[in-house]
Amino acid sequence: MNAEEFRQRGKEMIDYVADYIENIQERRVFPTVEPGYLHQLIPDHAPEEGEKWEDLFKDIERVIMPGVTHWHHPQFHAYFPTANSYPSICADILSDAIACTGFSWACSPACTELEVVMMDWLAKLLNLPEQFLSGGKGGGVIQGTASESTLVALLAARHKAVHDYRQTHPDVKNDEEVAAKLVAYCSDNAHSSVERAGLLGHVKIMQLPADDKHSLRGDTLQEAINKDKSQGLIPCFVCATLGTTLSCGFDNTKELGTVCEKEGIWMHIDAAYAGSAFICPEYRYLLDGVEHAMSFDFNPHKWLLVNFDCSAMWFKDTSYMVEAFKVEPLYLRHNNTGSVPDFRHWQIPFGRRFRSLKLWFVLRLYGVKALQEYIRKHITLAHEFEALVVKDDRFEITAEVIMGLVCFRIKGPNEPNEKLLKLINEDGRIHLVPSKINDTYFIRFAVCAKSTESKDITYAWSVITELATGIMENNQ
Ligand code: PLP
């Protein structure tokens, strides 16, 4: 493809993308294909000679679209949202054109410097404590995912804990002796990526019971720490969650943070989904306690109209992480080494995309007010759905609705709820996923798409009640 062809085909692709997004509601939200479907639609080897654009373009509808779950369909209510916006797509095109690999400042100074400024812009939007901003010991970086951020935080905490322990215990022979005794904590409602970070980082993770509001409390943490210390273990890390995947519960970061500070433990906050809402002053109270955290992360790629991947992570003191991750061969050094951030020291991978362009485009083209309105609209729609559930006394709400997620179930045993969810997803008009806390099975209804409106909420509820009524009648 030469430049002239690229101009023409690129425009065709933009038209296809705009048509896809604007007419997405005409598609079935969840695909009907069986595993292995795609294998039968394309050859099992790459073509010897280049093919025609027209042939490839036709195959988007024939091969790809039948197997796509349409996350931006107004009736997609599963998981949590993943963001999508035209400004962000435009920025990604530019990022793909520049196609730099920003592992150091010298790789493309704009790539590093825009990221530093964007992370400060975002930090100010969230009203994060000053220590998280660049200029002092702290600073922010864009990671690929919240899971990576948790792992990075855990590894930095592990490094710090081993170092601190050896300072006060000079008789200890090596780092491994300390590392084997490290222990970390999260709530039993935390995302699976926390447990995984423990597996990858070789730190035992204790899942502590959340209270009846799905919140991990300070006294539960303190008790666990006391017990573990009495057995010779070394507590080093707590991952608190603001907006759990199971029910959008909020851990009590003020209480947890107070315990962590007293015990000299690293607190990381995972606010993957809910973090975007903290740009609204009326929801900022949910972030209180962040002043006790050593690191904090949320995903603009979930709820802030920045396409995947863009996970925003801040540190109060970046030196622990840089010390933990730093490897600096001669060929990576440059004239400004040491005086500018080289972001490869702040992350797991070596290379990195120019992701801050997405933030820059979205923040400038929408502006703060429109982004706040976007968050508020989703939360209002969630409350509209909640009101419909509450009005029907066959159903119950299982968790306080704080953000854009509603957890609900048919009253009574789990089985009709399991049946209902199976019917909903087989029916295919809407798409939802389940959750379970303390053996109670329930259904999660998340407001996800940019295009979801009140009429889609009432439509979803009409589908749910129609299918639920069928189940209840059959059971009589
Ligand atoms: N943490 C929480 C609370 C989540 O809800 C999720 C995903 O929904 C994750 C972490 C994982 O996010 P990511 O895909 O960015 O790793």
Side-chain angles (χ1 to χ4, degrees):
M1 187 183 283
N2 61 29
E4 273 321 300
E5 284 170 316
F6 175 66
R7 284 179 206 282
Q8 184 195 339
R9 301 313 187 187
K11 282 167 193 153
E12 281 172 31
M13 184 52 89
I14 295 286
D15 281 340
Y16 178 84
V17 167
D19 288 343
Y20 168 70
I21 291 174
E22 295 308 313
N23 301 315
I24 200 166
Q25 71 286 351
E26 289 163 18
R27 298 176 186 261
R28 193 183 193 275
V29 58
F30 191 64
T32 53
V33 294
E34 294 295 329
Y37 92 95
L38 192 141
H39 204 75
Q40 297 160 18
L41 297 177
I42 57 172
D44 57 9
H45 52 269
E48 208 56 46
E49 306 287 341
E51 295 184 46
K52 289 215 288 271
W53 167 270
E54 289 81 357
D55 292 338
L56 173 63
F57 200 65
K58 273 203 312 262
D59 277 356
I60 299 174
E61 283 298 323
R62 186 182 72 88
V63 178
I64 303 300
M65 285 300 164
V68 171
T69 300
H70 299 288
W71 283 65
H72 303 284
H73 192 296
Q75 300 300 346
F76 180 94
H77 301 296
Y79 315 106
F80 276 138
T82 189
N84 196 0
S85 72
Y86 293 128
S88 184
I89 294 173
C90 287
D92 259 347
I93 293 176
L94 179 58
S95 168
D96 284 346
I98 295 171
C100 62
T101 310
F103 52 79
S104 73
W105 177 87
C107 278
S108 241
C111 179
T112 297
E113 297 206 3
L114 185 66
E115 188 158 329
V116 172
V117 180
M118 285 307 101
M119 292 304 290
D120 280 351
W121 278 19
L122 260 190
K124 287 175 192 166
L125 273 187
L126 298 184
N127 199 10
L128 284 184
E130 196 71 24
Q131 295 126 295
F132 287 99
L133 272 74
S134 69
K137 288 182 174 175
V141 64
I142 302 177
Q143 305 282 3
T145 62
S147 316
E148 276 171 67
S149 297
T150 303
L151 177 58
V152 167
L154 178 110
L155 294 175
R158 183 182 191 274
H159 182 84
K160 178 177 182 302
V162 170
H163 175 267
D164 290 354
Y165 193 84
R166 291 199 68 182
Q167 292 289 308
T168 49
H169 298 77
D171 48 319
V172 172
K173 288 188 210 68
N174 54 46
D175 288 358
E176 288 68 33
E177 204 179 304
V178 186
K181 292 186 194 155
L182 294 177
V183 61
Y185 308 89
C186 67
S187 135
D188 56 3
N189 282 212
H191 190 262
S192 58
S193 52
V194 183
E195 189 180 347
R196 200 137 171 268
L199 292 176
L200 293 168
H202 293 289
V203 175
K204 190 172 171 48
I205 304 273
M206 303 288 195
Q207 291 181 339
L208 308 177
D211 70 7
D212 56 359
K213 293 205 164 101
H214 312 152
S215 171
L216 179 61
R217 306 295 301 269
D219 50 0
T220 308
L221 175 66
Q222 186 67 67
E223 230 173 84
I225 290 172
N226 293 347
K227 184 165 158 254
D228 289 339
K229 278 170 64 172
S230 73
Q231 293 176 353
L233 298 175
I234 308 170
C236 70
F237 179 74
V238 170
C239 181
T241 310
L242 296 178
T244 60
T245 323
L246 295 191
S247 69
C248 205
F250 288 78
D251 287 342
N252 193 321
T253 43
K254 272 190 182 173
E255 290 179 4
L256 299 177
T258 307
V259 173
C260 285
E261 273 180 358
K262 178 166 86 67
E263 299 283 346
I265 296 173
W266 183 301
M267 180 167 79
H268 172 70
I269 297 180
D270 170 11
Y273 162 67
S276 296
F278 307 151
I279 67 165
C280 300
E282 68 273 30
Y283 298 116
R284 174 57 178 77
Y285 76 97
L286 292 163
L287 185 56
D288 288 353
V290 68
E291 61 279 8
H292 301 295
M294 292 291 286
S295 53
F296 168 76
D297 178 87
F298 85 101
N299 284 348
H301 73 228
K302 275 191 164 50
W303 204 10
L304 209 59
L305 294 171
V306 181
N307 284 53
F308 190 85
D309 54 347
C310 181
S311 192
M313 181 184 200
W314 289 267
F315 295 86
K316 232 182 221 168
D317 184 342
T318 60
S319 66
Y320 297 115
M321 169 198 47
V322 173
E323 270 169 36
F325 293 167
K326 195 165 179 175
V327 178
E328 195 138 67
L330 182 65
Y331 57 84
L332 296 176
R333 297 190 135 260
H334 52 84
N335 288 346
N336 295 291
T337 293
S339 61
V340 290
D342 282 338
F343 277 137
R344 71 177 180 283
H345 301 312
W346 300 41
Q347 59 174 23
I348 307 286
F350 176 70
R352 55 204 328 276
R353 299 182 73 238
F354 199 160
R355 290 181 290 217
S356 53
L357 285 171
K358 294 188 278 200
L359 271 174
W360 195 42
F361 276 43
V362 166
L363 292 174
R364 287 185 65 183
L365 293 175
Y366 280 98
V368 176
K369 281 189 190 154
L371 292 171
Q372 289 171 333
E373 285 314 311
Y374 178 65
I375 298 284
R376 289 178 184 131
K377 180 181 160 193
H378 274 199
I379 297 175
T380 303
L381 290 173
H383 284 300
E384 285 178 17
F385 185 84
E386 178 191 21
L388 293 169
V389 178
V390 169
K391 253 203 285 180
D392 189 327
D393 63 10
R394 298 172 300 172
F395 289 86
E396 62 187 347
I397 296 284
T398 60
E400 188 186 355
V401 179
I402 302 173
M403 304 270 102
L405 180 75
V406 185
C407 298
F408 72 101
R409 67 194 301 278
I410 300 172
K411 287 176 184 166
N414 287 343
E415 200 238 328
N417 287 289
E418 288 164 5
K419 218 178 204 172
L420 174 59
L421 186 78
K422 188 163 178 287
L423 280 183
I424 288 171
N425 288 331
E426 281 170 4
D427 173 90
R429 282 175 285 173
I430 61 176
H431 184 44
L432 287 86
V433 293
S435 187
K436 201 181 227 181
I437 297 181
N438 299 332
D439 291 331
T440 301
Y441 180 100
F442 55 92
I443 301 175
R444 297 166 80 268
F445 180 94
V447 179
C448 291
K450 193 153 55 79
S451 57
T452 300
E453 298 289 346
S454 287
K455 67 175 171 29
D456 301 304
I457 301 298
T458 40
Y459 176 75
W461 184 240
S462 72
V463 172
I464 293 165
T465 47
E466 174 197 315
L467 297 172
T469 303
I471 294 174
M472 291 171 193
E473 283 172 358
N474 281 343
N475 281 351
Q476 276 168 5

